[in-house]
Amino acid sequence: MSRLVIVSNRVADPRKAAAGGLAVAIKDGLQQTGGVWFGWSGKTFTDAPGVASHSGVHTQTVGKVQLATVDLSQQDYETYYLGYSNNVLWPVFHNRLDLAQFDVRFATGYRRVNQLFAQRIFPLLKPSDVIWVHDYHLIPLAAELRAMGCTNPIGFFLHIPVPPPLIMAAIPEHEWLMRSLFAYDLVGLQTESDMMHLVRYAETEAGAQWRPDGYLRAFNRTLRVGAFPIGMDVGEFASLADAREGLDMFARMREEYSRRQLLIGVDRLDYSKGLPQRIQAFRYLLEHYPENRKRATLIQIAAPSREDLGAYDHLRREMDSLCGAINGDYGELDWMPVRYIHRNVARRRLPGVYRAAHVALVTPLRDGMNLVAKEFLAAQDPADPGVLVLSRFAGAAEQLKEALLVNPYDSQGTAQAIERALTMPLGERIERHSALMTTIRQYDVHWWRTSFLDALKQAVAQAPEAVADTQ
Ligand code: ADQ
């Protein structure tokens, strides 16, 4: 069996349980075949420009897995990570051209760190290794590896959405990015609509030919493209829910909110997650459906995220102000409409919190998939499940059709859906939940990993010229 080499911006220690669904999936895959997980250590050092390329590899072995990391110079952190990854690619891919900061130094740093990664990974590779690269930080990595003579199968999975072609074309380096993608053997995306955006982009901007069997031909390369919606580890989550802390949390929440109907939101504090719009929709609900006053409480947990970036600081202040205003305007001595918690909640507590909630509000303006939606469903009591209100702009909406789908920009429509969720009869709740569970069980994280890796093997077997073309 081939050894798996995972490359992602950050590496999670497989021994730590807090890591979340993706880390679980990757850890499982690595432990089966043995392998390497390579990424940035999260540490930076201050040094002269460009010195990052001299950072050595730190290695640590955990069971059959070798963790290999590099440090980044402060300059690379600012240009590659904050600059190009999170001030260009993240906003543009989430349709927020207004927040993008195009700066040629960012693109240079992005390329430099991808080269550094390639230089450090290449000597670790064995001829039979299969390489799986993750996410927007590392789009050009395969091209850099190929330039060094790497002929291993290389797959790429993009966790965030693909924007419509014209929005993609606003990135000054879009042609270079796209050409780089063709150095992979397989590009996996979250949804069919992401796939169509990529195919349309490649057809219009690069004259690519799309074969209905899932292959794109351009730049003298053949690239397999497919949708592999990421799933969750339903079993792992169920055992967390049944563990003592999960049960304790559930009991405490149910007791605390015994006279209320609880709504829950769990997100990173990110402008893609539609948090201000969610508070506005909840405000609309209290205004126009007054029976919910003194009854419905929204707990919004928003984990701090990318705090070194200005757009996130602005969002934080906006949320403080919106939550303060709704509580000031509607709160009573014995009831506050919104409990806003700007902190991370330990993963082992999440199932209890989800299960105590009657309704989950998962209303991003744009999201690759959104695993919170799936986790909420997996944590419910099948005999008395809560209701998922889900943005149609989350990748998860393509699969989770039995949720109440909303347009998060429309506060009136979202408020109506919340009202419907709060008053939904038990029979309908059970029916919807059971259909949704069938989907998330079938397309779980193990399905995601194995179907991606099988497709990668197949892509290499069926298009042998793909690797040869780049040499
Ligand atoms: P994220 O944008 O981080 O990920 P999401 O999928 O919603 O989004 O969450 C990932 C994990 O973080 C979940 O396991 C969730 O429980 C946890 N989490 C989120 N907020 C939390 C909080 N406040 N406290 C504790 N835990 C929290 C990117 C893409 C998504 C895609 C994932 C996986 O943006 O669209 O679903 O990758 O591919």
Side-chain angles (χ1 to χ4, degrees):
M1 212 190 277
S2 307
R3 190 176 73 150
L4 188 58
V5 176
I6 300 281
V7 192
S8 55
N9 175 55
R10 293 296 304 274
V11 165
D13 185 334
R15 289 164 303 191
K16 294 193 181 144
L22 176 61
V24 171
I26 288 176
K27 181 180 72 177
D28 264 21
L30 284 171
Q31 273 166 354
Q32 274 171 26
T33 57
V36 179
W37 191 350
F38 186 97
W40 171 37
S41 62
K43 294 190 186 120
T44 54
F45 60 91
T46 324
D47 222 325
V51 176
S53 56
H54 297 297
S55 162
V57 180
H58 317 293
T59 55
Q60 196 189 349
T61 305
V62 181
K64 284 161 82 181
V65 183
Q66 190 187 13
L67 298 177
T69 56
V70 286
D71 303 338
L72 293 182
S73 73
Q74 183 63 24
Q75 191 203 22
D76 283 342
Y77 170 69
E78 282 164 19
T79 55
Y80 149 80
Y81 180 73
L82 295 180
Y84 207 74
S85 298
N86 288 318
N87 257 328
V88 175
L89 298 178
W90 180 272
V92 175
F93 280 45
H94 287 87
N95 300 346
R96 292 297 303 268
L97 275 181
D98 58 317
L99 294 176
Q101 286 178 20
F102 300 117
D103 181 328
V104 75
R105 284 169 306 174
F106 295 169
T108 309
Y110 182 72
R111 173 126 202 222
R112 190 169 56 233
V113 170
N114 272 273
Q115 275 167 345
L116 167 73
F117 270 37
Q119 282 159 7
R120 294 298 179 261
I121 294 162
F122 193 54
L124 306 177
L125 294 176
K126 296 178 182 172
S128 60
D129 284 349
V130 169
I131 306 169
W132 188 1
V133 179
H134 289 264
D135 230 359
Y136 60 105
H137 315 83
L138 299 172
I139 294 171
L141 186 66
E144 298 296 347
L145 283 167
R146 299 281 187 227
M148 291 171 190
C150 173
T151 53
N152 298 61
I154 316 181
F156 177 75
F157 186 78
L158 185 69
H159 291 260
I160 64 174
V162 179
L166 271 180
I167 292 192
M168 175 77 88
I171 300 176
E173 303 78 22
H174 68 98
E175 282 176 22
W176 167 69
L177 285 173
M178 274 301 140
R179 182 184 281 267
S180 309
L181 261 192
F182 279 77
Y184 290 97
D185 298 295
L186 167 67
V187 168
L189 305 163
Q190 297 273 25
T191 66
E192 295 288 327
S193 96
D194 293 321
M195 209 169 102
M196 287 342 290
H197 282 164
L198 182 67
V199 169
R200 266 178 36 223
Y201 170 91
E203 284 173 341
T204 51
E205 298 285 332
Q209 284 162 333
W210 173 239
R211 289 190 352 215
D213 57 347
Y215 288 85
L216 258 179
R217 177 99 195 141
F219 308 116
N220 213 21
R221 291 268 310 165
T222 305
L223 172 66
R224 165 97 161 87
V225 181
F228 303 88
I230 193 167
M232 58 170 297
D233 189 329
V234 181
E236 179 242 11
F237 214 69
S239 51
L240 275 183
D242 291 337
R244 200 174 52 85
E245 245 182 297
L247 296 172
D248 281 358
M249 196 68 212
F250 172 69
R252 270 175 31 214
M253 298 285 289
R254 270 286 154 104
E255 194 190 333
E256 174 84 17
Y257 294 97
S258 58
R259 291 182 302 118
R260 315 269 183 232
Q261 279 198 300
L262 195 59
L263 298 98
I264 184 83
V266 176
D267 307 78
R268 281 186 305 103
L269 187 64
D270 191 290
Y271 50 79
S272 65
K273 303 292 180 185
L275 297 171
Q277 290 79 357
R278 190 178 303 168
I279 302 298
Q280 270 148 8
F282 190 56
R283 192 181 172 101
Y284 191 99
L285 178 90
L286 298 180
E287 179 65 32
H288 295 272
Y289 302 89
E291 64 278 16
N292 291 302
R293 293 185 203 163
K294 293 193 79 169
R295 203 160 64 108
T297 298
L298 167 61
I299 297 186
Q300 176 61 58
I301 302 167
S305 178
R306 303 177 196 164
E307 290 183 305
D308 290 348
L309 295 171
Y312 290 75
D313 194 42
H314 177 265
L315 175 64
R316 184 184 173 166
R317 277 185 273 116
E318 189 180 6
M319 281 300 284
D320 286 348
S321 147
L322 283 169
C323 295
I326 193 171
N327 284 342
D329 293 343
Y330 291 95
E332 304 275 351
L333 285 173
D334 60 349
W335 171 73
M336 281 295 159
V338 175
R339 279 201 173 184
Y340 172 54
I341 300 161
H342 182 231
R343 268 197 313 275
N344 230 320
V345 168
R347 187 167 173 78
R348 58 186 187 279
R349 295 199 167 156
L350 278 179
V353 178
Y354 288 139
R355 196 170 180 133
H358 297 89
V359 174
L361 301 183
V362 181
T363 53
L365 304 179
R366 194 76 185 105
D367 217 329
M369 176 54 57
N370 197 300
L371 289 173
V372 171
K374 296 183 176 182
E375 290 169 358
F376 171 76
L377 294 167
Q380 296 309 300
D381 172 2
D384 183 16
V387 181
L388 174 62
V389 174
L390 178 63
S391 163
R392 55 175 298 189
F393 305 125
E398 231 178 56
Q399 290 181 302
L400 305 181
K401 302 267 188 242
E402 294 83 3
L404 296 185
L405 296 185
V406 296
N407 169 5
Y409 294 96
D410 172 8
S411 11
Q412 183 182 352
T414 305
Q416 280 163 355
I418 298 173
E419 172 65 11
R420 189 172 163 206
L422 287 167
T423 54
M424 190 179 282
L426 179 64
E428 185 179 351
R429 281 192 279 129
I430 291 177
E431 218 168 280
R432 286 176 184 268
H433 177 257
S434 141
L436 290 162
M437 283 307 292
T438 305
T439 306
I440 66 168
R441 278 206 188 94
Q442 185 175 354
Y443 299 104
D444 70 357
V445 76
H446 307 291
W447 169 88
W448 172 73
R449 186 187 72 237
T450 47
S451 60
F452 182 92
L453 290 173
D454 288 350
L456 176 55
K457 267 181 224 143
Q458 236 179 48
V460 174
Q462 285 178 14
E465 87 282 12
V467 169
D469 280 351
T470 58
Q471 295 178 340

